[in-house]
């Protein structure tokens, strides 16, 4: 069994302790996200508005 075999994907609603880690995946957001004023303003709301 490898480390990848142990990966489990869960919604934030199921494990709210992961909310602090959401932004550790910055390199996977579309490149425009940090440069778009609306996207930048709303990005911090993702865990709150879409916990599912």
């Amino acid at each position: 069994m490898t480390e990848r075999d142990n990966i489990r994907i869960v919604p934030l609603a199921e494990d709210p302790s992961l909310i602090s880690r959401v932004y550790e995946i910055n390199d996977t957001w579309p490149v425009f996200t940090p440069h778009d004023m609306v996207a930048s303003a709303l990005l911090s709301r993702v865990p709150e508005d879409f916990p599912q």
Side-chain angles (χ1 to χ4, degrees):
M1 188 176 256
T2 68
E3 186 175 323
R4 285 185 175 184
D5 293 329
N6 293 325
I7 293 173
R8 197 173 134 235
I9 299 172
V10 297
L12 294 173
E14 184 178 319
D15 190 352
S17 70
L18 296 174
I19 290 173
S20 64
R21 302 202 58 201
V22 166
Y23 301 101
E24 290 179 17
I25 59 169
N26 284 337
D27 59 337
T28 62
W29 292 103
V31 71
F32 70 84
T33 304
H35 305 287
D36 180 271
M37 290 175 55
V38 174
S40 291
L42 298 177
L43 189 59
S44 64
R45 297 184 54 106
V46 170
E48 181 183 330
D49 292 347
F50 303 103
Q52 65 285 6

